[in-house]
Amino acid sequence: MTTSRPDRRNALFRTKSVEQSIQDTDEPDSKLRKDLTAWDLTVFGVAVVVGAGIFTLTARTAGNVAGPSVSLAFVFAAIACGLTALCYAEFASTVPVAGSAYTFSYATFGELVAWIIGWDLILEFALATSVVAKGWSQYLGEVMGSRQPVVHLGPITFDWGAVLLIAILAVLLAVGTKVSSRVSAVAVAIKLCVVALVLVVGATYFDSSNLTPYIPPSQPGAEGEGLHQSLFSFLTGAGHSTFGWYGLLAAASLVFFAFIGFDVVATTAEETKNPQKSLPRGILGSLLIVTVLYVAVSLVLTGMVPYTALAGDHATLATAFAIHGATWVKNIISIGALAGLTTVVMVMYLGQTRVLFAMSRDGLLPRRLAHTGKHGTPVRLTIIVGVICAILAGFIDFGTLEEMVNIGTLFAFVLVAIGVLILRRTRPDLPRGFRVPLVPLIPILAVLACAWLMLNLSVETWLRFVVWMALGLLVYVAYGRRHSVLRTTPAEDPDKAQSADATD
């Protein structure tokens, strides 16, 4: 008996029903343990977000791009994140399955778009894990007395500090997410104490005259020329993206990196007790906490010293205290940064493994990678991701590749916001633990805000992103399309497929 081949175009955009996604979570061989509460998720969110933004990114962005208006840039970025967080909260409470935006896209846009967003998230989490691990290594050097934890092997520089961190976290994540959450809670307590110290001591050096001009006049510079200029400036010829209003807008796109991570909370949906209530609370609660902290710290920082004193690629939060001779605060900040960046790397690492886990379970990547061990964690994936990120962090100097994390995340945010509108129309019957208010206004504003931030990223970042996506499509055609569980199942059971299509 022969069966007709399914229409390729329809197969590319065939969705995986929410019911099927939830049913897959009960497979014994690939079942994740439900250990996490709303408190655990809030800790994860704060753990991953309070880190690189406060300890490294704030000072560099103020000194090189925005001046004192970096605090307003944080507000702009927070608004975009807040709008998107509402969409993530609805999706995560409706589809409590590992994979975050990948899983959400599979339920709304279909397999091809799901693959694209999954490939995008691989880029986001892998680069973020590796980039922040290198930042952790730099602070380790500060604690060690300015002896950088690197070894020079001829023309190659090996960052053993970053590799050591990833190796330790690989063991923790393999043991279980609950253990990881407890480690995060301790690290979060340490870095919040450090942030409080920064605000209290920094306020004693505060001089309001340093905040003038709040938005420095535009200046030509490397940030605003050629492929380094923002795509918006390139397309419109509107002006340089160094200081001025365009610098402020570019800064909002850069400091967006500081908020990356709240979406990682959604990747733990499958490991959460009562996800319908816990996930929205964890996502929105963590975002609110970190926004207040970022704005407060950036105001104190730029009030302590003139923004010009923070210029260069090596300025950090500790730089302002060193200028005032408060070296004891600088040392405490370095210790706090180690704790802060540790949790950032851990949660990004966790997000990477969960996205790959979901893609493997769907057959778009080898299904054997979705196997879980006795601790209820995907040990194979944890090891593989650890090795890859360790190689990247150990041997590669990222430079402007950090912006790739931003564009990848913003792209995922856009699709999630659009997906809320689609799922509201196609599946209004689904129980939703949280509902985005003012639909369709909020999702549309989220799309516009994220698209605007994307436009203010550099041209070279866009070019690299396009190349990465093209590579992903090749991988999908060569492997994922032919091994997809969703594609192969209908051929074996046509009646079941017809029933599923009717339900959808």
Side-chain angles (χ1 to χ4, degrees):
M1 177 179 177
T2 59
T3 58
S4 59
R5 299 180 64 182
D7 181 86
R8 291 186 176 183
R9 183 178 177 183
N10 291 339
L12 287 175
F13 297 100
R14 177 171 294 170
T15 60
K16 181 179 181 181
S17 70
V18 174
E19 291 81 2
Q20 183 60 52
S21 294
I22 296 175
Q23 182 179 334
D24 287 348
T25 65
D26 291 327
E27 293 183 9
D29 192 49
S30 58
K31 186 178 179 66
L32 297 172
R33 183 180 298 174
K34 293 182 179 294
D35 284 332
L36 304 178
T37 64
W39 170 252
D40 292 321
L41 298 182
T42 303
V43 169
F44 269 142
V46 175
V48 70
V49 181
V50 177
I54 280 185
F55 295 113
T56 59
L57 192 60
T58 305
R60 291 204 306 266
T61 305
N64 300 327
V65 184
S69 66
V70 66
S71 56
L72 184 56
F74 274 114
V75 173
F76 287 168
I79 291 173
C81 286
L83 293 170
T84 312
L86 294 172
C87 300
Y88 262 93
E90 175 167 326
F91 252 128
S93 65
T94 308
V95 194
V97 179
S100 185
Y102 159 77
T103 301
F104 306 156
S105 297
Y106 217 152
T108 51
F109 298 102
E111 182 175 289
L112 178 60
V113 177
W115 167 266
I116 290 173
I117 200 64
W119 186 254
D120 168 68
L121 291 174
I122 291 173
L123 170 72
E124 173 195 341
F125 291 137
L127 283 182
T129 300
S130 305
V131 167
V132 180
K134 291 185 77 69
W136 183 90
S137 183
Q138 291 177 354
Y139 272 105
L140 179 61
E142 293 288 335
V143 174
M144 293 170 58
S146 298
R147 291 177 53 197
Q148 292 301 316
V150 298
V151 175
H152 297 284
L153 306 172
I156 300 175
T157 300
F158 175 63
D159 191 333
W160 62 263
V163 173
L164 175 64
L165 174 64
I166 292 174
I168 293 173
L169 295 181
V171 175
L172 286 175
L173 291 175
V175 170
T177 52
K178 191 65 178 180
V179 174
S180 305
S181 175
R182 290 169 181 165
V183 173
S184 291
V186 174
V188 166
I190 293 174
K191 64 183 174 183
L192 289 183
C193 289
V194 172
V195 170
L197 176 69
V198 167
L199 292 175
V200 172
V201 177
T204 64
Y205 299 107
F206 187 86
D207 183 353
S208 59
S209 64
N210 288 328
L211 299 180
T212 305
Y214 185 68
I215 302 178
S218 177
Q219 299 177 11
E223 294 291 335
E225 297 178 351
L227 295 179
H228 297 289
Q229 67 182 312
S230 70
L231 181 62
F232 178 78
S233 295
F234 176 79
L235 294 176
T236 64
H240 296 294
S241 58
T242 303
F243 301 118
W245 277 100
Y246 295 110
L248 170 59
L249 296 175
S253 298
L254 292 175
V255 301
F256 180 82
F257 180 84
F259 289 95
I260 289 174
F262 80 83
D263 58 316
V264 179
V265 174
T267 69
T268 64
E270 199 170 321
E271 298 159 270
T272 303
K273 302 174 183 177
N274 193 11
Q276 286 73 20
K277 291 184 178 180
S278 297
L279 282 163
R281 291 173 182 173
I283 292 172
L284 298 174
S286 58
L287 183 60
L288 176 62
I289 292 170
V290 300
T291 299
V292 173
L293 291 177
Y294 277 146
V295 173
V297 169
S298 58
L299 281 172
V300 169
L301 173 66
T302 51
M304 289 178 62
V305 296
Y307 71 91
T308 52
L310 301 173
D313 295 330
H314 301 291
T316 66
L317 186 60
T319 302
F321 290 93
I323 291 174
H324 286 286
T327 54
W328 65 276
V329 179
K330 176 183 176 182
N331 294 335
I332 292 177
I333 288 175
S334 296
I335 295 174
L338 282 177
L341 297 181
T342 296
T343 56
V344 174
V345 176
M346 180 169 65
V347 182
M348 288 295 184
Y349 189 166
L350 173 68
Q352 174 73 289
T353 59
R354 295 318 185 254
V355 170
L356 289 171
F357 173 83
M359 297 176 73
S360 300
R361 187 164 58 188
D362 291 332
L364 300 182
L365 293 172
R367 293 201 71 193
R368 60 181 177 275
L369 296 178
H371 175 74
T372 53
K374 63 180 181 179
H375 297 292
T377 59
V379 177
R380 293 176 184 172
L381 272 177
T382 301
I383 295 174
I384 292 172
V385 170
V387 170
I388 294 174
C389 290
I391 292 173
L392 291 174
F395 295 98
I396 295 178
D397 183 12
F398 288 94
T400 57
L401 283 179
E402 292 181 22
E403 287 191 27
M404 291 287 287
V405 181
N406 292 12
I407 195 170
T409 305
L410 286 166
F411 179 66
F413 284 6
V414 168
L415 287 184
V416 168
I418 296 174
V420 166
L421 296 176
I422 294 176
L423 202 61
R424 282 283 189 99
R425 179 177 292 271
T426 58
R427 295 299 306 276
D429 58 302
L430 286 174
R432 290 166 168 82
F434 176 85
R435 298 178 70 90
V436 177
L438 301 176
V439 172
L441 179 61
I442 295 297
I444 290 175
L445 289 177
V447 171
L448 294 176
C450 293
W452 175 250
L453 291 177
M454 291 176 74
L455 280 174
N456 283 281
L457 291 172
S458 67
V459 175
E460 65 178 339
T461 297
W462 275 91
L463 293 176
R464 289 168 176 163
F465 183 66
V466 170
V467 171
W468 174 257
M469 286 300 164
L471 178 61
L473 287 175
L474 291 177
V475 174
Y476 174 71
V477 171
Y479 184 89
R481 182 175 61 89
R482 296 186 293 119
H483 294 83
S484 166
V485 173
L486 190 64
R487 276 174 163 248
T488 56
T489 300
E492 298 169 359
D493 191 357
D495 293 333
K496 182 179 179 180
Q498 291 175 4
S499 174
D501 290 341
T503 301
D504 291 342

